[in-house]
């Protein structure tokens, strides 16, 4: 007898429907799985056999063939255990096929029949939101899938429970999650900008960068507070919209990093990988393409401390995600694209010892060492960073000052106000959430300059030899500064501040 069960596999961040066909016929006992399965799928027959026997079901002593269609799509992971078991029970007449005709099933089986969680439940749920299908999942995966309110998600703990539910002997209520309720604001505790002494210009630059989603490079001597400033960026970042949260949560779902206690990421991610990370770990890849840190930082912050210490290959691999907001990985079996719209925040010293140009401490580095250190960060990469800011050492009067600095909450209010203006501006533009994501057509529409501003920018380009990309970056940053000032038009003072933030374009840095 032949039975069919609907399931899905995740390729990149997209769910691909898969039909599990199970055929039980006369012949020598054995189970064969075809349809381009990986090693984990091939091993499922041992897990399924033990799970069925330990759940008091009979294992057919006949020839069993399992086909995973479409055959040209590679099948990976343990999520096929549960649908194969359902198909086998139906093909051996221990379960009626009509019981799961309108269902999509995923789950790994333990040897005792317990349903274990799998990765990628959220992309599968999103692919079913316009279909009249039930989604059968392990109970630990159900919360993340249930954030898609239009899909009925049934949490299951054991194979026996699944069968009694499908036979109508047990009633299970679909899990409902209030997605809007999960979007309550979450801000890091114990960190606040009021703790940062001095660095007024650096705080202003971080405010501008956070308000517009702009990339930022902080450079200065050791101990100036670059890392301290960067670690407090999440405390002033605006809240995520539901659309942004779902996009980010998909990445974490595919990586298996979600917990049942936090099924939806409602706070912006802050990723700070170590400088020894490989290019694959940073941007994604591998034999089976997986997301990297740039995708895990989607709609959040990627902090690279001591930027020149990262490998040149890893840093140059950042060019595509910084430019396009996505990473495309091509392999012989096909290509996948992962989202990577993140705010890059990087820090570095001016030289290996850190004190080049410092007025109080002498630099021990030779000119060749300084040039070699700085050249680790290429000009094309610097050109893709919107704001370059020098962070000088904190003076003794600033360090010992008892006056309370401005808190993160006060800064966050201004940032949230500026982002609200941007959401309203780009309401009709799909996939654009902030000024940093504007394309050329948006610059023409939203970044018009008056005659005085155009003349100022012309003089700056002629004097500092700004590139065409730097020109666009200056306009985007100017638009954000104008939003923070509650101005519909970009004024010359807004433009002047944006030009000031291109510090490395105005020096012989590399």
């Amino acid at each position: 007898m032949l039975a069919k069960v609907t399931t899905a596999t995740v390729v990149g961040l997209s769910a691909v429907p898969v039909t599990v066909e199970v055929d039980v016929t006369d012949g020598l006992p054995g189970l064969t799985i075809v349809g381009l399965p990986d090693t984990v799928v091939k091993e499922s027959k041992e897990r399924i056999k033990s799970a069925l026997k330990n759940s008091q079901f009979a294992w057919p002593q006949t020839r069993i063939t399992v086909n995973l269609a479409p055959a040209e799509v590679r099948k990976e992971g343990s999520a096929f255990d549960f649908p194969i078991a359902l198909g086998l029970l139906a093909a051996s007449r221990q379960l009626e096929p009509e019981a799961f005709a309108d269902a999509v099933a995923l789950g790994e089986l333990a040897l005792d029949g317990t349903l274990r969680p799998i990765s990628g439940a959220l992309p599968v749920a999103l692919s079913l939101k316009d279909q009249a299908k039930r989604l059968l999942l392990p109970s630990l995966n159900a919360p993340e899938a249930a954030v898609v309110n239009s899909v009925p998600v049934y949490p299951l703990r054991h194979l026996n429970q699944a069968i009694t539910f499908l036979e109508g002997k047990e009633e299970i209520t679909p899990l409902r999650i209030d997605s809007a309720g999960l979007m309550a604001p979450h801000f890091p505790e114990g960190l606040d900008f009021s703790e940062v002494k001095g660095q007024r210009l650096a705080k202003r630059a971080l405010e501008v960068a956070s308000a517009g989603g702009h990339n930022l490079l902080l450079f200065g001597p050791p101990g100036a507070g670059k890392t301290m400033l960067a670690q407090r960026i999440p405390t002033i970042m605006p809240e995520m919209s539901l659309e942004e949260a779902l996009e980010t949560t998909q990445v974490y779902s595919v990586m298996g990093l979600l917990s049942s206690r936090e099924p939806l990421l409602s706070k912006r991610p802050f990723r700070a990988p170590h400088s020894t990370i490989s290019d694959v770990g940073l941007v994604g890849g591998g034999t089976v393409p997986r997301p990297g840190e740039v995708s895990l930082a989607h709609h959040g912050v990627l902090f690279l401390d001591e930027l020149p210490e990262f490998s040149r290959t890893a840093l140059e691999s950042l060019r595509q995600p910084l430019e396009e907001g996505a990473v495309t990985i091509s392999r012989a079996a096909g290509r996948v694209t992962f989202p990577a719209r993140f705010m890059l925040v990087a820090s570095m010293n001016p030289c290996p010892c850190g004190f080049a140009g410092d007025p109080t401490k002498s630099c021990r580095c030779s000119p060749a060492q300084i040039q070699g250190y700085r050249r680790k960060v290429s000009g094309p990469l610097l050109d893709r960073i919107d704001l370059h800011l020098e962070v000088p050492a904190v003076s003794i009067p600033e360090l010992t000052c008892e006056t309370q600095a401005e808190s993160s909450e006060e800064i966050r209010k201004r940032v949230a106000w500026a982002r609200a203006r941007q959401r309203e501006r780009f309401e009709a533009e799909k996939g654009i959430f902030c000024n940093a994501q504007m394309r050329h057509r948006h610059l023409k529409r939203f970044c018009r300059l008056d005659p005085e501003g155009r003349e100022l920018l012309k003089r700056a380009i002629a004097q500092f030899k700004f590139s065409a990309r730097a020109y666009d970056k200056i306009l985007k940053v100017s638009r954000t500064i104008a939003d923070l000032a509650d101005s519909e038009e970009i004024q010359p003072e807004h433009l002047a501040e944006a030009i000031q933030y291109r510090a490395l374009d105005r020096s012989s840095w590399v």
Side-chain angles (χ1 to χ4, degrees):
M1 181 178 175
L2 177 66
K4 297 181 180 181
V5 184
T6 303
T7 184
T9 188
V10 177
V11 179
L13 292 187
S14 302
V16 178
V18 174
T19 301
V20 178
E21 300 174 329
V22 182
D23 185 34
V24 176
T25 58
D26 295 334
L28 292 175
L31 173 62
T32 303
I33 301 177
V34 297
L36 213 58
D38 70 350
T39 303
V40 177
V41 179
K42 290 177 181 178
E43 291 175 344
S44 67
K45 59 184 178 182
E46 302 301 332
R47 294 191 295 272
I48 295 169
K49 185 174 183 179
S50 294
L52 289 179
K53 287 185 175 181
N54 290 325
S55 301
Q56 312 308 315
F57 293 105
W59 179 262
Q61 297 300 318
T62 56
R63 179 177 177 80
I64 306 168
T65 303
V66 177
N67 179 43
L68 307 176
E72 68 271 12
V73 177
R74 185 167 179 80
K75 318 304 186 306
E76 300 166 349
S78 57
F80 297 99
D81 291 7
F82 182 36
I84 291 175
L86 291 180
L88 201 152
L89 290 174
S92 59
R93 295 183 173 83
Q94 299 178 71
L95 177 67
E96 291 298 325
E98 293 77 15
F100 48 78
D102 63 342
V104 175
L106 296 96
E108 176 185 333
L109 284 174
L111 299 186
D112 63 354
T114 301
L115 281 167
R116 288 176 171 165
I118 46 92
S119 59
L122 180 57
V124 175
L126 288 170
S127 70
L128 299 176
K129 63 182 180 180
D130 296 323
Q131 303 180 34
K133 294 281 190 179
R134 297 181 294 168
L135 185 56
L136 311 181
L137 285 174
S139 57
L140 292 178
N141 285 124
E144 67 179 271
V147 300
V148 185
N149 296 324
S150 59
V151 178
V153 177
Y154 292 87
L156 302 169
R157 297 184 304 276
H158 196 278
L159 182 60
N160 276 330
Q161 182 191 25
I163 300 306
T164 55
F165 165 68
L166 291 173
E167 290 177 336
K169 297 177 182 177
E170 178 179 348
E171 184 176 346
I172 298 178
T173 304
L175 183 63
R176 300 291 182 186
I177 296 289
D178 179 15
S179 302
L182 294 175
M183 295 304 297
H186 298 278
F187 301 107
E189 297 180 359
L191 297 176
D192 199 280
F193 268 96
S194 62
E195 302 164 341
V196 181
K197 299 288 187 178
Q199 303 298 3
R200 182 179 59 85
L201 292 178
K203 291 178 182 178
R204 169 63 178 175
L206 290 175
E207 179 180 339
V208 172
S210 300
H214 302 290
N215 303 317
L216 172 68
L217 172 63
L218 303 170
F219 63 94
K226 303 184 295 295
T227 303
M228 187 178 187
L229 286 163
Q231 290 173 339
R232 281 154 179 77
I233 290 176
T235 67
I236 64 172
M237 292 287 283
E239 299 172 26
M240 281 205 290
S241 66
L242 181 58
E243 183 181 356
E244 288 176 306
L246 285 171
E247 287 184 7
T248 306
T249 306
Q250 280 191 81
V251 180
Y252 282 73
S253 175
V254 168
M255 293 292 286
L257 298 177
L258 290 179
S259 69
S260 57
R261 296 186 301 275
E262 190 179 14
L264 183 69
L265 291 180
S266 57
K267 58 183 178 182
R268 296 186 183 274
F270 182 88
R271 306 290 298 185
H274 192 263
S275 59
T276 56
I277 191 171
S278 66
D279 54 333
V280 171
L282 189 60
V283 300
T287 306
V288 178
R290 303 280 284 174
E293 290 290 334
V294 297
S295 297
L296 291 170
H298 187 52
H299 292 310
V301 177
L302 177 67
F303 177 47
L304 303 184
D305 199 8
E306 301 298 340
L307 190 65
E309 300 301 326
F310 288 78
S311 72
R312 183 66 178 258
T313 305
L315 292 182
E316 292 307 304
S317 67
L318 289 173
R319 291 193 195 184
Q320 184 194 18
L322 285 175
E323 194 72 19
E324 301 177 8
V327 175
T328 300
I329 301 169
S330 298
R331 294 291 182 266
R335 52 187 289 169
V336 296
T337 299
F338 297 114
R341 289 191 180 276
F342 58 93
M343 174 181 159
L344 174 65
V345 178
S347 70
M348 63 182 292
N349 298 326
C351 68
C353 78
F355 297 107
D358 191 282
T360 59
K361 295 185 179 181
S362 59
C363 176
R364 303 188 303 271
C365 306
S366 68
Q369 287 175 319
I370 294 174
Q371 285 298 101
Y373 178 80
R374 294 178 178 180
R375 283 188 178 131
K376 291 181 180 179
V377 183
S378 68
L381 179 59
L382 281 177
D383 208 30
R384 287 168 167 80
I385 299 178
D386 306 50
L387 294 85
H388 313 149
L389 188 75
E390 183 175 5
V391 183
V394 182
S395 66
I396 294 177
E398 289 176 324
L399 197 59
T400 57
C401 179
E402 296 295 331
T403 304
Q404 184 77 10
E406 191 175 30
S407 69
S408 292
E409 184 178 358
E410 294 171 299
I411 301 173
R412 185 171 63 243
K413 288 178 181 177
R414 295 195 296 269
V415 170
W417 167 252
R419 280 291 183 104
R421 290 176 64 96
Q422 293 165 50
R423 282 196 298 270
E424 183 179 347
R425 179 181 301 131
F426 304 123
E427 188 175 8
E429 302 287 341
K430 183 175 176 58
I432 295 184
F433 302 97
C434 59
N435 288 333
Q437 298 167 1
M438 285 192 289
R439 299 300 183 188
H440 190 67
R441 67 178 186 277
H442 303 120
L443 297 180
K444 288 185 175 181
R445 181 179 175 187
F446 301 118
C447 299
R448 295 192 184 98
L449 302 178
D450 59 19
E452 185 181 352
R454 286 196 296 271
E455 184 60 31
L456 173 62
L457 189 52
K458 285 180 183 178
R459 292 200 307 269
I461 292 173
Q463 181 176 351
F464 303 122
K465 305 296 187 294
F466 289 139
S467 67
R469 183 181 286 112
Y471 170 83
D472 287 352
K473 298 289 188 185
I474 290 170
L475 288 178
K476 293 176 183 179
V477 174
S478 300
R479 180 65 266 171
T480 300
I481 295 170
D483 289 339
L484 285 167
D486 197 16
S487 173
E488 288 295 331
E489 303 297 330
I490 297 176
Q491 302 298 330
E493 58 267 26
H494 305 148
L495 193 60
E497 184 180 352
I499 293 171
Q500 178 185 335
Y501 291 136
R502 300 295 300 184
L504 298 187
D505 287 342
R506 298 184 280 110
S507 68
S508 56
W509 180 262
V510 290

